[in-house]
Amino acid sequence: MPRKVVQGPIRDKEKTKQKLLAAVGKILKVKGYSGLKVTKIADVAGFDKKLIYEYFGSTDKLIDEYIKSQDYWTKFNKTEEVDLSDGGKELSKTAVLNQFENLKNNKELQKIILWELSESKPILRKLVEQREEVGGVLFQHITDPHFGENATRYRAIMALIISGAYYLNLYTGYNANKFCGIDMKADEGRAEIEKAIVELIDFAYVEKNNV
């Protein structure tokens, strides 16, 4: 007689972890960060709350892992072979345009960004630090050498572009369709913003060459 294989959360740790992570996303999307309580997460996932401690160590560590799995910049890495002979111009465009689109489609990430803006918590500070580390590597090794003494100026330009990409998605995601008369929920309106992002980055590189 073949031995019976016992199914269940202990036998399938990775699947259980993914369900717990997914539960965090579901709660965040519907209830916001105030709903992220250990009992609620366990209920939504359909498991005993002790598995959260067994697999993640704490609720904060579970939430931390979920946040990192959603954040665009902490996951960003230059895995493809990219021609950097232009000083990172095309890479900069691709990175910001993808961020702009990613945030539009990721309602959970929108909630996380709003959470960052309204509360000070260690897991959120850690996320911000991780973003800065990723950005720092890209700046230090790609754009800073290209811009030289104007490197900080380029960083400032990118700070405005990236923060604008965040804000436009958050603003129109919750309160309105239009910003400066541009319909941010229409493909045509978003395309205009994308063209502006490209033009601003191009301008920064042209200005560098004219200095």
Side-chain angles (χ1 to χ4, degrees), residues 2 12 36 41 61 72 86 88 104 113 122 128 156 161 171 178:
D12 198 350
L36 294 175
I41 295 170
K61 288 181 180 178
Y72 174 76
D86 61 358
K104 171 199 170 188
I113 301 299
V128 172
I161 294 172
Y171 177 83
K178 294 183 178 181

Side-chain angles (χ1 to χ4, degrees), residues 41-55:
I41 295 170
D43 286 346
V44 171
F47 298 125
D48 192 301
K49 65 182 180 182
K50 68 181 182 182
L51 291 176
I52 293 175
Y53 301 105
E54 182 174 343
Y55 292 159

Side-chain angles (χ1 to χ4, degrees), residues 13-29 36 41-42 44-47 51-52 55-56 58-70 108 112:
K13 178 178 178 179
E14 191 55 39
K15 188 174 182 180
T16 302
K17 288 179 69 175
Q18 291 306 313
K19 285 186 177 180
L20 288 167
L21 288 165
V24 172
K26 290 176 183 177
I27 295 168
L28 191 61
K29 188 174 182 178
L36 294 175
I41 295 170
V44 171
F47 298 125
L51 291 176
I52 293 175
Y55 292 159
F56 295 93
S58 68
T59 309
D60 278 352
K61 288 181 180 178
L62 166 61
I63 296 170
D64 181 43
E65 187 163 330
Y66 175 79
I67 288 173
K68 286 190 290 186
S69 75
Q70 296 299 308
E108 292 86 350
I112 291 168

Side-chain angles (χ1 to χ4, degrees), residues 35-126:
L36 294 175
K37 309 298 183 184
V38 62
T39 303
K40 183 64 176 177
I41 295 170
D43 286 346
V44 171
F47 298 125
D48 192 301
K49 65 182 180 182
K50 68 181 182 182
L51 291 176
I52 293 175
Y53 301 105
E54 182 174 343
Y55 292 159
F56 295 93
S58 68
T59 309
D60 278 352
K61 288 181 180 178
L62 166 61
I63 296 170
D64 181 43
E65 187 163 330
Y66 175 79
I67 288 173
K68 286 190 290 186
S69 75
Q70 296 299 308
D71 189 65
Y72 174 76
W73 288 107
T74 56
K75 294 190 298 179
F76 182 84
N77 60 73
K78 192 173 64 64
T79 54
E80 301 175 8
E81 286 300 320
V82 179
D83 182 5
L84 298 176
S85 61
D86 61 358
K89 180 170 70 172
E90 292 306 315
L91 177 63
S92 297
K93 292 177 187 177
T94 299
V96 180
L97 290 173
N98 287 345
Q99 175 222 352
F100 185 59
E101 187 63 18
N102 176 267
L103 188 57
K104 171 199 170 188
N105 298 322
N106 193 330
K107 300 301 181 184
E108 292 86 350
L109 181 55
Q110 291 182 20
K111 293 282 188 179
I112 291 168
I113 301 299
L114 290 170
W115 189 11
E116 288 177 32
L117 296 173
S118 59
E119 285 197 38
S120 176
K121 288 184 174 292
I123 57 174
L124 298 174
R125 286 196 297 273
K126 183 179 177 182

